[in-house]
Amino acid sequence: MDLEYSFLADTYEKIEATTSRTAMTDYLVVLFSKTPPEVIDKVVYLTQGKLYPDYIGIELGIAEKMAMRALATAIGVSIKVIEQEYKKLGDIGLVAEKMLTKYKPVSITHFFEGVEVARKLTVSVVYEKLEKIAKATGEGSQDLKISLLASILKDASPKEAKYILRTVTGRLRLGIADMTILDALAIAFTGSKSARDVIERAYNVHPDLGYIAKKLALEGIEGVKMIKIKVGIPIQPMLAERLNNPKEILGKLGGKCVVEYKYDGERIQAHKNGDEVALFSRRLENITHHYPDVVDMVRKHVKAKEAIVEGECVAVNPDTGEMLPFQELMHRRRKYGVEEAMEMYPVHFFLFDLLYLNGVEYISKPYLERRKKLEEVVEETDYISLAEARIVDDPLELDKFFEQAISDGCEGIMCKSVSSDSIYQMGARGWLWIKYKRDYRYEMTDTVDLVVVGAFYGKGKRAGTYGALLMAAYNPEKDVFETVCKVGSGFTDEDLAKLPELLAQYKIDHRHPRVLSKLEADVWFVPAVVLEIIGAEITLSPLHTCAFGKIREEAGLAIRFPRFTGRYRFDKKAEQATTTKELIEMYKSQKKTAS
Ligand code: ATP
């Protein structure tokens, strides 16, 4: 059983012409009702302008130029003619429609028992040829794609050609949301929208509209109810509401919640099945190939045969473990050279949820139970660990944690319900998760000169030297040095090589009495060496002693994303470093920008 492609083209034309969402749904209901169950999945995919759900990662992606060549081949005119039309009309679909009307391609008709009959394009034929086009790779694939596309166009009517070329070039913009398709499927196969919730649940667990449509058509709503989580098929992610007031947040969450760092990276849903691991993005694209290192971490350190875990992947400085700004992670988005990118921009995977484990669905279990299980299953290393978290019931505590998260390079915090009904709400934005971010970011416009008061041993490439230095500002009133940041970025290999030697003469085996620090350094120094530092902004942090309690109780000033500029200020004595007072002024006069 098949369906004529012309039925699709007619429906698309009606959908394009309407401004009413109800009418759009109605046209889809008619289309789905008329479609034989065998091809309903194909009809749904084509209507979405694709061949598979996004997470499969196979795209049609035919360039306009190639579509023009196929059209020229189909109707036997020169590519120049097509290009001229394209310049005029600007839409490859309209060009195809016009050209086919003008030059009827040879095989639109054929003879059957001596009578001329039109050759009909069916959904299966179109779909299968498009599939071949999408999968063709390597030598000769361009020509193969062109001839396949031309063969479809030869059998197409002008209207069909319009939609086919728009589909292959990714320009079939009917503007139909997945939710509209779900509505139409519910009406077409159950007679009313009342089954919509059941269908939507299935869609959240298995976001493949073609698959759901086919299940509905063949097995009815009972079949859809049976759809379960499957390792390898991404689940629609849970989303958070937003509030910016600690009291309100706690109020919403019943006075108590888990607060977690809100890492500024890329959300990853990792699926593990034995040794096989697949990674999906927030938009459910398959991003496995961007992160071979994360694949490896999950394979080795998620101790389960089958599991689905979620977390945020953040770029880090491999030597110091410091988190780096989001932009650094974007180097992983390149098509080629992932291996080099992996070396140059290593990542840390911070896990925050467990959705499935060895045959058991965890999505309906309360958050604390999910998190506890996650702790059991994950073997933490320097590169994979659970998101920093704690339980709080006091707004002040919550705010402190927030400031700490910001100065550690996070975007803010996630506040999560710990109630007994704190399930994983697939595909929904609800109040079980509340994000607390800042609306603005303060820009640090000037450099500061800070004193080296301590150091931390390096790891990896920096083994044998220092990974990060503990830096302090000078407080002349008290004649002490107050810490502002740990800096590990901005040092060249040469700098790193000479640091131990440079600092050796100042090394002492305890914190210097004029140094105030809450952090325990691996090595302490007499305050002497001054370095020029720049950062993204000056923030509040409970971990640093600079101006502690001056701006906010229990918090000092810190520099976020600090970096050595390359300038050693040997011309300055420690007491000539930037003062605490200057940092307070800088903090107060920082320029606010939208984040
Ligand atoms: P949204 O995802 O809410 O539509 P968005 O894409 O702008 O909005 P954010 O405002 O950054 O995202 O907030 C949610 C995102 O925060 C999550 O999708 C996830 O990627 C990220 N995140 C970081 N840390 C955590 C955490 N500990 N728990 C949950 N999500 C976290």
Side-chain angles (χ1 to χ4, degrees):
M1 292 284 279
D2 213 337
L3 181 75
E4 284 171 21
Y5 186 78
S6 63
F7 200 85
L8 249 69
D10 291 340
T11 307
Y12 296 165
E13 195 171 52
K14 287 185 200 147
I15 288 176
E16 268 182 341
T18 186
T19 51
S20 142
R21 191 192 142 133
T22 325
M24 195 187 243
T25 313
D26 292 346
Y27 294 134
L28 289 174
V29 170
V30 174
L31 172 65
F32 296 155
S33 310
K34 283 254 162 68
T35 304
E38 293 80 5
V39 292
I40 183 92
D41 48 348
K42 296 180 175 134
V43 165
V44 169
Y45 297 135
L46 289 174
T47 305
Q48 292 181 287
K50 46 182 129 172
L51 295 176
Y52 311 98
D54 292 340
Y55 60 78
I56 301 285
I58 300 180
E59 280 170 32
L60 264 164
I62 296 266
E64 235 112 50
K65 188 100 192 155
M66 198 192 272
M68 284 191 237
R69 280 171 59 196
L71 183 58
T73 311
I75 54 180
V77 299
S78 103
I79 182 84
K80 290 241 157 51
V81 181
I82 308 282
E83 279 170 354
Q84 266 166 11
E85 280 302 324
Y86 182 67
K87 265 198 197 121
K88 270 191 254 162
L89 297 173
D91 168 0
I92 188 75
L94 292 180
V95 175
E97 188 174 36
K98 184 169 172 191
M99 300 308 273
L100 253 76
T101 313
K102 203 163 161 191
Y103 311 88
K104 201 171 168 203
V106 275
S107 70
I108 190 83
T109 56
H110 67 137
F111 290 92
F112 182 69
E113 292 177 354
V115 185
E116 199 184 18
V117 288
R119 184 170 285 182
K120 296 232 161 71
L121 262 189
T122 66
V123 164
S124 296
V125 167
V126 172
Y127 186 90
E128 274 145 33
K129 287 192 180 173
L130 293 185
E131 212 173 22
K132 279 194 189 133
I133 293 175
K135 288 184 175 166
T137 51
E139 211 183 317
S141 64
Q142 299 286 83
D143 290 341
L144 178 64
K145 286 180 191 216
I146 290 171
S147 79
L148 279 164
L149 188 52
S151 77
I152 305 179
L153 293 173
K154 274 187 188 166
D155 287 346
S157 70
K159 195 197 285 179
E160 290 172 331
K162 171 167 84 179
Y163 291 110
I164 284 163
L165 283 199
R166 282 189 185 162
T167 304
V168 296
T169 53
R171 287 177 205 275
L172 181 76
R173 305 231 167 94
L174 299 176
I176 305 173
D178 287 6
M179 293 300 141
T180 312
I181 295 185
L182 288 180
D183 281 347
L185 287 173
I187 300 169
F189 293 104
T190 68
S192 83
K193 263 204 211 174
S194 58
R196 178 44 218 273
D197 285 354
V198 175
I199 302 177
E200 191 172 335
R201 190 207 148 266
Y203 169 75
N204 283 331
V205 173
H206 196 128
D208 177 346
L209 288 173
Y211 172 83
I212 289 171
K214 202 156 189 172
K215 264 263 179 261
L216 253 181
L218 292 172
E219 300 172 31
I221 198 75
E222 289 308 313
V224 171
K225 279 187 192 155
M226 302 299 285
I227 295 178
K228 292 207 163 64
I229 291 181
K230 194 162 168 232
V231 178
I233 311 278
I235 296 164
Q236 291 284 2
M238 174 168 180
L239 304 173
E241 285 289 352
R242 179 178 180 145
L243 279 178
N244 277 4
N245 176 321
K247 269 200 190 115
E248 261 183 74
I249 293 174
L250 281 169
K252 275 271 180 203
L253 295 171
K256 188 165 131 184
C257 66
V258 172
V259 284
E260 283 176 5
Y261 272 16
K262 182 177 186 311
Y263 299 94
D264 193 9
E266 176 161 25
R267 184 171 187 162
I268 293 183
Q269 197 180 97
H271 289 232
K272 176 176 197 257
N273 187 357
D275 271 348
E276 270 182 48
V277 174
L279 309 177
F280 300 98
S281 70
R282 151 102 164 71
R283 297 174 54 196
L284 309 186
E285 301 136 323
N286 191 320
I287 49 167
T288 312
H289 54 287
H290 289 156
Y291 299 105
D293 39 2
V294 175
V295 167
D296 206 46
M297 288 175 209
V298 172
R299 189 182 291 135
K300 289 198 187 120
H301 303 293
V302 174
K303 298 286 180 195
K305 188 177 171 308
E306 275 189 316
I308 303 177
V309 293
E310 242 189 349
E312 191 90 354
C313 170
V314 186
V316 288
N317 179 330
D319 305 306
T320 62
E322 289 168 292
M323 285 186 258
L324 300 175
F326 176 69
Q327 300 83 282
E328 295 293 320
L329 192 68
M330 288 301 98
H331 298 289
R332 289 299 190 96
R333 282 274 161 185
R334 55 169 106 157
K335 270 206 172 132
Y336 306 102
V338 170
E339 295 293 326
E340 292 107 81
M342 197 169 90
E343 291 263 312
M344 285 172 69
Y345 308 97
V347 294
H348 190 122
F349 192 25
F350 292 99
L351 293 163
F352 55 72
D353 223 315
L354 171 79
L355 314 186
Y356 182 87
L357 179 68
N358 297 331
V360 181
E361 293 193 355
Y362 271 74
I363 48 175
S364 305
K365 301 189 190 287
Y367 182 55
L368 287 180
E369 195 179 329
R370 303 203 300 278
R371 173 130 186 153
K372 187 164 167 280
K373 202 73 193 171
L374 188 63
E375 276 166 24
E376 283 170 31
V377 168
V378 177
E379 181 182 72
E380 301 200 25
T381 73
D382 283 348
Y383 289 99
I384 182 169
S385 60
L386 267 72
E388 182 78 31
R390 70 182 55 153
I391 293 185
V392 300
D393 56 7
D394 169 22
L396 222 79
E397 274 293 303
L398 198 144
D399 237 354
K400 256 202 236 164
F401 192 71
F402 175 79
E403 298 293 355
Q404 184 182 323
I406 295 280
S407 65
D408 269 354
C410 291
E411 254 193 316
I413 52 175
M414 291 295 268
C415 309
K416 300 184 175 178
S417 167
V418 289
S419 73
S420 56
D421 58 2
S422 56
I423 60 165
Y424 185 90
Q425 287 178 315
M426 295 175 295
R429 189 179 298 285
W431 291 103
L432 292 177
W433 279 11
I434 302 174
K435 54 189 177 194
Y436 175 15
K437 303 203 269 190
R438 250 179 342 172
D439 307 338
Y440 50 82
R441 181 177 292 250
Y442 287 110
E443 235 168 60
M444 189 169 167
T445 45
D446 206 359
T447 57
V448 284
D449 298 321
L450 302 175
V451 189
V452 184
V453 294
F456 300 85
Y457 291 129
K459 288 186 278 198
K461 264 199 317 226
R462 291 195 192 172
T465 176
Y466 296 128
L469 302 179
L470 184 60
M471 309 299 296
Y474 180 54
N475 181 340
E477 284 143 43
K478 297 190 188 151
D479 187 30
V480 289
F481 294 89
E482 302 175 343
T483 71
V484 198
C485 64
K486 234 167 103 173
V487 62
S489 299
F491 297 99
T492 61
D493 289 346
E494 212 181 307
D495 290 324
L496 290 171
K498 82 174 183 200
L499 276 177
E501 196 188 309
L502 173 72
L503 292 164
Q505 53 184 311
Y506 305 108
K507 204 164 151 183
I508 43 178
D509 60 5
H510 54 84
R511 181 176 50 75
H512 191 274
R514 287 170 71 213
V515 170
L516 300 185
S517 175
K518 287 185 180 288
L519 295 175
E520 201 46 53
D522 294 331
V523 181
W524 293 105
F525 303 111
V526 176
V529 177
V530 180
L531 304 181
E532 188 180 75
I533 304 290
I534 182 88
E537 61 174 317
I538 302 172
T539 58
L540 290 170
S541 163
L543 299 180
H544 289 285
T545 52
C546 177
F548 201 80
K550 284 261 160 36
I551 305 221
R552 168 109 40 103
E553 231 180 283
E554 297 293 308
L557 291 177
I559 295 176
R560 190 168 181 242
F561 296 136
R563 186 163 40 82
F564 174 46
T565 63
R567 285 185 71 188
Y568 293 87
R569 299 301 310 261
F570 295 129
D571 54 327
K572 282 198 169 181
K573 285 199 301 190
E575 289 75 13
Q576 288 167 333
T578 302
T579 62
T580 301
K581 208 165 140 224
E582 280 174 292
L583 274 159
I584 296 175
E585 294 302 318
M586 283 174 84
Y587 174 76
K588 287 186 177 158
S589 65
Q590 273 182 129
K591 220 170 76 202
K592 260 189 190 184
T593 54
S595 69

